[in-house]
Amino acid sequence: MSKEKEPFSLKKRIKSFEYSFAGLVHLFRLEHNARIHAIAAILVVIAGCMLEISSMEWVAIVICIGLVLVTETLNTSIENICDHLTTDIHPHIKIIKDLASGAVLISAITAVVVALIIFLPKVLSLI
Protein backbone atom coordinates (compact mmCIF):
# COMPACT_ATOMS: atom_id res chain seq x y z
CA MET A 1 0.00 0.00 0.00
CA SER A 2 1.64 3.19 -1.15
CA LYS A 3 1.01 6.52 0.48
CA GLU A 4 0.85 9.47 -1.88
CA LYS A 5 3.28 12.25 -1.12
CA GLU A 6 1.78 15.53 -0.09
CA PRO A 7 2.91 18.62 -1.95
CA PHE A 8 5.56 20.79 -0.28
CA SER A 9 4.11 23.10 2.33
CA LEU A 10 6.21 25.84 3.94
CA LYS A 11 3.67 26.07 6.76
CA LYS A 12 4.09 22.35 7.57
CA ARG A 13 7.90 22.61 7.39
CA ILE A 14 7.84 25.51 9.86
CA LYS A 15 5.49 23.54 12.10
CA SER A 16 7.92 20.60 12.07
CA PHE A 17 10.63 22.92 13.43
CA GLU A 18 8.26 23.97 16.22
CA TYR A 19 7.90 20.30 17.21
CA SER A 20 11.68 19.87 17.16
CA PHE A 21 12.24 22.90 19.37
CA ALA A 22 9.50 21.71 21.73
CA GLY A 23 11.40 18.42 22.06
CA LEU A 24 14.62 20.27 22.88
CA VAL A 25 12.83 22.43 25.46
CA HIS A 26 11.51 19.24 27.05
CA LEU A 27 14.98 17.68 26.98
CA PHE A 28 16.75 20.56 28.72
CA ARG A 29 13.91 21.38 31.10
CA LEU A 30 13.32 17.86 32.41
CA GLU A 31 16.52 15.89 31.85
CA HIS A 32 19.24 16.59 34.41
CA ASN A 33 21.98 14.89 32.37
CA ALA A 34 21.15 16.96 29.29
CA ARG A 35 21.69 20.12 31.32
CA ILE A 36 25.04 18.76 32.56
CA HIS A 37 26.09 18.06 28.96
CA ALA A 38 24.99 21.55 27.89
CA ILE A 39 26.98 23.19 30.70
CA ALA A 40 30.03 21.09 29.79
CA ALA A 41 29.63 22.15 26.15
CA ILE A 42 29.47 25.82 27.14
CA LEU A 43 32.61 25.45 29.27
CA VAL A 44 34.45 23.73 26.40
CA VAL A 45 33.44 26.51 23.99
CA ILE A 46 34.70 29.12 26.46
CA ALA A 47 37.97 27.20 26.85
CA GLY A 48 38.29 26.93 23.08
CA CYS A 49 37.89 30.69 22.70
CA MET A 50 40.35 31.44 25.49
CA LEU A 51 42.98 29.01 24.16
CA GLU A 52 42.40 30.03 20.53
CA ILE A 53 42.03 26.52 19.16
CA SER A 54 42.38 25.95 15.41
CA SER A 55 39.56 25.54 12.90
CA MET A 56 40.08 21.78 12.74
CA GLU A 57 40.06 21.58 16.55
CA TRP A 58 36.76 23.48 16.52
CA VAL A 59 35.39 20.97 14.03
CA ALA A 60 36.29 18.11 16.39
CA ILE A 61 34.78 19.93 19.38
CA VAL A 62 31.54 20.76 17.55
CA ILE A 63 31.16 17.19 16.31
CA CYS A 64 31.72 15.83 19.84
CA ILE A 65 29.22 18.26 21.36
CA GLY A 66 26.67 17.25 18.72
CA LEU A 67 27.38 13.56 19.25
CA VAL A 68 26.84 13.78 23.00
CA LEU A 69 23.65 15.84 22.69
CA VAL A 70 22.24 13.56 19.98
CA THR A 71 22.91 10.40 22.01
CA GLU A 72 21.42 12.01 25.13
CA THR A 73 18.32 12.98 23.15
CA LEU A 74 17.95 9.47 21.70
CA ASN A 75 18.53 7.93 25.13
CA THR A 76 15.80 10.12 26.59
CA SER A 77 13.46 9.15 23.73
CA ILE A 78 14.12 5.45 24.25
CA GLU A 79 13.60 5.75 28.01
CA ASN A 80 10.30 7.57 27.45
CA ILE A 81 9.10 4.92 25.00
CA CYS A 82 10.02 2.13 27.42
CA ASP A 83 8.32 3.89 30.34
CA HIS A 84 5.22 4.39 28.20
CA LEU A 85 5.08 0.71 27.27
CA THR A 86 5.24 -0.59 30.81
CA THR A 87 5.72 0.63 34.35
CA ASP A 88 6.71 -2.88 35.39
CA ILE A 89 10.35 -3.83 35.83
CA HIS A 90 11.12 -5.99 32.83
CA PRO A 91 14.51 -7.56 32.01
CA HIS A 92 14.30 -6.70 28.30
CA ILE A 93 13.34 -3.09 29.03
CA LYS A 94 16.32 -2.87 31.41
CA ILE A 95 18.67 -4.08 28.66
CA ILE A 96 17.21 -1.56 26.19
CA LYS A 97 17.63 1.32 28.65
CA ASP A 98 21.13 0.17 29.63
CA LEU A 99 22.19 0.02 25.97
CA ALA A 100 20.88 3.52 25.30
CA SER A 101 22.61 4.83 28.40
CA GLY A 102 25.79 3.05 27.32
CA ALA A 103 25.66 4.92 24.01
CA VAL A 104 25.64 8.22 25.90
CA LEU A 105 28.58 7.04 27.99
CA ILE A 106 30.56 6.11 24.87
CA SER A 107 29.89 9.49 23.28
CA ALA A 108 30.78 11.35 26.50
CA ILE A 109 34.04 9.42 26.92
CA THR A 110 34.88 10.11 23.27
CA ALA A 111 34.25 13.83 23.84
CA VAL A 112 36.47 13.86 26.94
CA VAL A 113 39.31 12.11 25.07
CA VAL A 114 39.06 14.59 22.18
CA ALA A 115 39.01 17.50 24.66
CA LEU A 116 42.10 16.14 26.39
CA ILE A 117 43.94 15.74 23.09
CA ILE A 118 43.12 19.31 22.14
CA PHE A 119 43.34 21.15 25.46
CA LEU A 120 45.94 19.31 27.53
CA PRO A 121 48.97 20.36 25.45
CA LYS A 122 47.73 23.97 25.36
CA VAL A 123 47.17 24.08 29.12
CA LEU A 124 50.51 22.40 29.85
CA SER A 125 52.31 24.97 27.67
CA LEU A 126 50.88 27.73 29.89
CA ILE A 127 52.38 26.21 33.03
Side-chain angles (χ1 to χ4, degrees):
M1 176 177 251
S2 115
K3 181 179 176 184
E4 287 190 38
K5 290 187 178 186
E6 294 181 27
F8 177 82
S9 165
L10 182 60
K11 187 175 181 179
K12 287 185 179 183
R13 295 294 62 85
I14 292 170
K15 193 68 174 170
S16 71
F17 278 100
E18 289 177 22
Y19 297 138
S20 298
F21 286 116
L24 293 176
V25 167
H26 172 84
L27 178 73
F28 291 111
R29 184 181 293 153
L30 300 177
E31 296 299 324
H32 180 73
N33 286 340
R35 291 193 301 271
I36 291 171
H37 294 308
I39 290 166
I42 290 166
L43 293 174
V44 167
V45 168
I46 291 169
C49 291
M50 291 175 59
L51 295 171
E52 299 177 346
I53 64 176
S54 72
S55 295
M56 289 310 297
E57 290 168 331
W58 275 117
V59 169
I61 293 296
V62 169
I63 289 171
C64 285
I65 289 170
L67 176 67
V68 172
L69 293 177
V70 165
T71 54
E72 183 62 45
T73 304
L74 292 172
N75 178 50
T76 299
S77 298
I78 290 166
E79 286 180 350
N80 277 281
I81 290 168
C82 290
D83 292 344
H84 176 74
L85 292 175
T86 182
T87 55
D88 297 336
I89 296 174
H90 191 282
H92 293 319
I93 296 290
K94 180 187 181 326
I95 292 169
I96 292 166
K97 287 182 168 186
D98 290 350
L99 287 167
S101 179
V104 177
L105 181 61
I106 291 168
S107 69
I109 289 170
T110 301
V112 168
V113 169
V114 169
L116 288 172
I117 291 168
I118 292 171
F119 292 118
L120 195 57
K122 294 178 185 333
V123 171
L124 291 176
S125 72
L126 297 174
I127 298 175

